[in-house]
Amino acid sequence: MIRKLGMLILLASFSCASLAETPAQRRAEINKRRAETLAKLYKAHPAAKGRIAAASGYAVFTNLGVNLVIMSVAGGNGVAHDNKSGHDTYMKMLSGGVGLGLGVKDFRGIFVFTSQKAFRTFVDEGWEAGAHADAIAKAGKEGGAIEGAISVAPDTYLYQLTENGLALEATIQGTKYFKDDDLNAGK
């Protein structure tokens, strides 16, 4: 019962906005959020700007999560940008999990792909984080290959932002990323 209620709340929040906008308006809103998110990341972590510019590509997602007592659901959308071709691919994400809590979490995820293969796999095949993928973002030269980000797959790093800036713990457990056919058609 609680699981169904959580899914209904989440789906209603995304479908109401989708029904009121054309695909062009939705793409414009995603692009606006991308610019705002990247500006926020660069302010919190200035070195990220050069790393993203040098990468094969990147993806920026806006995520809204709801935690209702014993289960959590999240959904969002974003855009993957191929730095080589300049092409944007609009995508969706859905997530679910189990855990105690109550509340709503609004956060942004920025993926950085250091190889074209990692970028193409993410965009063309979608991507699923089925295992628990929490890690603490490290400051300085310690930690992963990209300062302030966590490694989530080969040649794939994740920055996660909250209202407080760079998240100290990034979670992508049980999350599926895939192309948004409606927003990619006819653009």
Side-chain angles (χ1 to χ4, degrees), residues 12-153:
S13 67
F14 293 112
S15 56
C16 289
S18 299
L19 294 174
E21 301 174 338
T22 67
Q25 290 169 321
R26 289 174 48 212
R27 285 190 296 268
E29 181 61 30
I30 291 169
N31 290 334
K32 177 183 170 193
R33 283 183 283 162
R34 169 181 41 190
E36 292 168 351
T37 300
L38 289 174
K40 191 175 184 180
L41 173 63
Y42 300 156
K43 183 177 179 182
H45 199 75
K49 187 172 189 174
R51 289 190 177 93
I52 288 173
S56 292
Y58 66 92
V60 178
F61 286 86
T62 302
N63 307 286
L64 177 64
V66 178
N67 196 333
L68 295 171
V69 186
I70 61 168
M71 61 143 287
S72 63
V73 293
N77 54 34
V79 59
H81 180 79
D82 185 330
N83 282 344
K84 183 177 178 181
S85 71
H87 180 74
D88 286 335
T89 302
Y90 296 89
M91 300 182 73
K92 295 181 184 181
M93 61 83 55
L94 293 173
S95 180
V98 177
L100 295 176
L102 184 64
V104 176
K105 181 180 177 186
D106 182 12
F107 61 96
R108 310 288 181 264
I110 303 97
F111 288 89
V112 179
F113 304 96
T114 59
S115 74
Q116 193 65 25
K117 180 181 178 186
F119 178 78
R120 293 280 21 122
T121 299
F122 182 87
V123 170
D124 294 336
E125 298 175 18
W127 191 67
E128 188 168 346
H132 194 63
D134 288 351
I136 303 300
K138 305 263 184 188
K141 294 182 180 180
E142 298 179 31
I146 294 184
E147 181 182 334
I150 62 166
S151 175
V152 294

Side-chain angles (χ1 to χ4, degrees), residues 40 44 160-167:
K40 191 175 184 180
Q160 197 172 85
L161 298 175
T162 66
E163 286 303 312
N164 299 325
L166 188 65

